[in-house]
């Protein structure tokens, strides 16, 4: 993979110009969403700002808010509740996940120059001052929105604001030195998994119910399955992580072993949640969760275990829906049981 700046690489530009209209459209879409196979050409500065926020990563956190509302057991279909959930989804997705992704791109610009040179910062498509302004605006808007949700929900203690501040701090120490949690394979991957599952789930739960330690512990346990997903996300960065000394799990254990670690973690901790559902007599939901694990195992064998580097995106697109549907069933079970 070339290490040169793509804005000054004539071969890259020429290759982009030779692309067919169809492939160019696909690569432009990937560029906007922030996934592999993106285009390298110039585009609107506002699209670049959006690309920094990686919209494709918003979805699991917005889904986590829905799971939290379901696990509260107190959600009812009113316009007030629906709008409240939508605002919380915007908080978890575009605002705070957008902040996290922009912050991560800012601190990873040297790694991205190796792994993903089409990203806005290493490609020179956006200036550093604009990136910093975006980080500050998203963070401030997110915290203000969280506080507004606390007021809207008549909270005596600002639960959602606390979760937002905790998530924002976690995002900072994940990406920024001196801690830079992503340098530690296990700790960094778990921090990412908790951010994707536990934090938005707890925020959604706090909107309509009492956020208790049992819910927090259960979501943190579920987040260990998210650690497995975080490992898959690290496959695309192996070259840059290795060159710059970041000890992600694929760098530490190698690709094949990391793929096995990922699938074992995902399957075992979903099975443990299913076992817990049986223990609280939510047998139907527990059975449905077990049934959802079966196609995951099939897809893990078909894609991830056979060729992790080439099939990582395909695997996530095909297998993750079973994981997130399982999260919703688990949340419905908790709400039904009054946990």
């Amino acid at each position: 993979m070339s290490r040169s700046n793509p804005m000054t690489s004539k071969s890259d530009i020429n290759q982009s110009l030779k692309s067919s209209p169809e492939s160019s459209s696909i690569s432009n879409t990937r560029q906007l969403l922030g996934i592999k196979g993106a285009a390298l050409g110039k585009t609107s500065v506002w699209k670049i700002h959006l690309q920094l926020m990686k919209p494709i990563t918003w979805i699991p956190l917005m889904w986590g808010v829905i799971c939290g509302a379901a696990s509260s057991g107190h959600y009812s279909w009113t316009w007030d509740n629906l709008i409240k959930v939508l605002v919380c989804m915007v908080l978890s997705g575009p605002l705070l996940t957008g902040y996290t992704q922009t912050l991560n791109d800012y601190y990873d610009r040297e790694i991205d120059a190796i792994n993903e040179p089409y990203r806005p910062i290493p490609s020179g498509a956006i200036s550093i001052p604009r990136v910093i302004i975006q980080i500050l605006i998203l963070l401030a808007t997110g915290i203000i929105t969280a506080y507004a949700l606390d007021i809207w929900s008549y909270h005596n203690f600002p639960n959602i604001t606390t979760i937002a501040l905790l998530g924002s701090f976690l995002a900072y120490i994940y990406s920024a030195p001196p801690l830079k949690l992503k340098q530690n394979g296990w700790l960094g991957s778990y921090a990412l998994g908790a951010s994707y599952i536990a934090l938005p789930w707890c925020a959604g739960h706090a909107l309509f119910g009492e956020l208790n330690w049992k819910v927090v512990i259960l979501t943190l346990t579920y987040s260990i399955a998210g650690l497995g997903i975080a490992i898959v996300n690290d496959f695309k960065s192996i070259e840059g992580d290795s060159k710059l000394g970041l000890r992600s799990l694929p760098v530490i254990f190698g690709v094949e072993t990391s793929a096995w670690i990922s699938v074992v973690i995902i399957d075992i901790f979903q099975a443990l949640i299913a076992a817990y559902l049986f223990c609280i007599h939510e047998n139907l939901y527990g059975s449905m969760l077990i049934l959802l694990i079966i196609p995951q195992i099939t897809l893990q064998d078909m894609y991830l275990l056979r060729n992790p580097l080439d099939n990582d995106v395909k695997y996530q697109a095909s297998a993750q829906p079973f994981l997130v549907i399982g999260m919703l069933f688990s949340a419905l079970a908790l709400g039904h049981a009054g946990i």
Side-chain angles (χ1 to χ4, degrees):
M1 184 178 295
S2 173
R3 301 186 195 180
S4 61
N5 188 320
M7 293 299 291
T8 60
S9 173
K10 293 182 180 180
S11 61
D12 283 338
I13 295 174
N14 290 336
Q15 183 63 38
S16 178
L17 292 173
K18 291 177 183 178
S19 300
S20 67
E22 182 179 356
S23 63
S24 178
S25 175
I26 293 172
S27 62
N28 284 333
T29 300
R30 288 177 172 176
Q31 181 190 54
L32 186 62
L33 294 176
I35 58 179
K36 290 199 301 185
L40 294 173
K42 293 183 179 180
T43 187
S44 162
V45 68
W46 299 110
K47 287 184 179 181
I48 293 170
H49 279 293
L50 184 61
Q51 185 190 352
L52 276 171
M53 296 162 65
K54 291 186 182 176
I56 196 70
T57 64
W58 303 348
I59 299 171
L61 288 101
M62 296 168 76
W63 184 262
V65 172
I66 295 173
C67 291
S71 70
S72 73
H74 298 293
Y75 179 82
S76 58
W77 288 99
T78 66
W79 281 110
D80 183 74
N81 286 346
L82 179 59
I83 294 172
K84 195 182 294 184
V85 167
L86 291 174
V87 172
C88 195
M89 290 169 70
V90 171
L91 167 67
S92 297
L95 295 179
L96 291 187
T97 306
Y99 151 79
T100 299
Q101 296 295 346
T102 308
L103 186 74
N104 188 64
D105 268 22
Y106 173 77
Y107 283 107
D108 276 4
R109 53 193 185 274
E110 292 182 7
I111 299 174
D112 287 344
I114 300 171
N115 292 323
E116 301 176 273
Y118 57 83
R119 298 295 303 156
I121 299 175
S123 70
I126 190 169
S127 67
I128 295 297
R130 290 189 74 109
V131 175
I132 294 173
I133 290 171
Q134 175 166 322
I135 291 170
L136 295 176
I137 289 175
L138 289 171
L139 176 60
T141 307
I143 301 304
I144 291 169
T145 303
Y147 186 67
L149 284 170
D150 277 319
I151 295 174
W152 195 353
S153 301
Y154 304 103
H155 289 159
N156 294 322
F157 181 82
N159 292 318
I160 300 174
T161 304
T162 301
I163 293 169
L165 288 170
L166 176 62
S168 302
F169 176 71
L170 187 62
Y172 179 80
I173 63 174
Y174 175 82
S175 298
L179 293 180
K180 203 172 181 70
L181 297 182
K182 67 185 301 179
Q183 293 181 122
N184 182 304
W186 291 107
L187 190 58
S189 294
Y190 180 71
L192 193 61
S195 298
Y196 271 64
I197 296 179
L199 293 179
W201 189 319
C202 288
H205 189 103
L207 278 178
F208 304 103
E210 181 181 351
L211 186 59
N212 55 70
W213 284 108
K214 189 175 291 187
V215 172
V216 172
I217 291 171
L218 284 169
T219 55
L220 288 174
T221 302
Y222 220 134
S223 297
I224 300 177
L227 187 155
I229 299 299
I231 293 173
V232 179
N233 290 335
D234 284 335
F235 285 142
K236 70 179 185 299
S237 305
I238 291 176
E239 182 183 357
D241 290 349
S242 179
K243 289 181 182 299
L244 296 178
L246 294 182
R247 294 181 59 77
S248 66
L249 294 181
V251 171
I252 296 172
F253 294 107
V255 173
E256 293 185 5
T257 301
S258 296
W260 274 102
I261 292 172
S262 172
V263 301
V264 168
I265 287 175
I266 291 170
D267 297 339
I268 285 180
F269 281 91
Q270 280 186 282
L272 288 175
I273 294 294
Y276 176 76
L277 298 185
F278 285 118
C279 289
I280 61 174
H281 307 295
E282 294 294 334
N283 299 331
L284 175 61
Y285 289 113
S287 300
M288 295 174 77
L289 185 54
I290 291 294
L291 291 174
L292 287 167
I293 296 173
I294 296 172
Q296 280 187 170
I297 294 173
T298 302
L299 292 165
Q300 287 163 352
D301 177 62
M302 287 175 57
Y303 296 128
L304 192 63
L305 296 178
R306 298 188 185 186
N307 196 334
L309 295 181
D310 290 341
N311 293 334
D312 57 342
V313 174
K314 187 182 297 184
Y315 162 71
Q316 291 188 74
S318 58
Q320 280 197 31
F322 296 100
L323 172 65
V324 298
I325 293 171
M327 287 172 54
L328 181 58
F329 284 145
S330 301
L332 290 168
L334 298 179
H336 185 257
I339 300 300

